Amino acid sequence: YAAGSSANSGWQTLGTWSVLASVSAVSVSPASGSGMQSSFAVHFSDGAGATDLATMFVWIQSASGSAVSSCLMEYYRPTNTLYLLNDAGTAWPSIAVGGSGTLSNSQCGINAAITTVSVSGNDLTLTLPVTFTSGYGGAKSVNAYAAGSSANSGWQTLGAWTVQ
């Protein structure tokens, strides 16, 4: 809209704007610590509602940044399935959350029977009971990523863990 001393333009549509739902990897608890095992509660949020979230990754990695020989987990909400990348970085063995058994590689294991997912409004919390192997010792970062139907969080570093 523009107005001069004797005329105005009236309201004109000049374009459109779409607001995408915000998706974020919010936090991990514990945010720091050490040990051979922990139960990591990873909080994700989606402005379109938690049920819009489809894929969430949690990556407990060393400074090398390589997915090969690391502890890279995926949770796929539509099928309530947990995945753990194998040592070679070539396959994703899976198990249903709450199912009996453990997913494991040479770096870590996740007990599916006591893995939990809670959903409330826009928030989803994935609690992963992780046991590390002695060969995966040292300082690690805890990273997370989430994707909904129209947006993703990008990778976020949420915490630090020392495997010892």
Side-chain angles (χ1 to χ4, degrees), residues 64-132:
S64 73
S66 173
V68 174
S69 297
S70 72
C71 189
L72 177 56
M73 301 156 270
E74 177 187 0
Y75 171 65
Y76 187 64
R77 189 202 51 77
T79 59
N80 199 35
T81 304
L82 187 63
Y83 299 84
L84 177 65
L85 188 64
N86 71 356
D87 291 333
T90 58
W92 292 87
S94 66
I95 194 167
V97 169
S100 63
T102 300
L103 283 175
S104 62
N105 61 23
S106 295
Q107 292 66 239
C108 66
I110 303 110
N111 185 333
I114 57 176
T115 295
T116 62
V117 178
S118 71
V119 174
S120 178
N122 292 343
D123 301 314
L124 183 148
T125 301
L126 174 64
T127 303
L128 297 161
V130 179
T131 301
F132 298 100

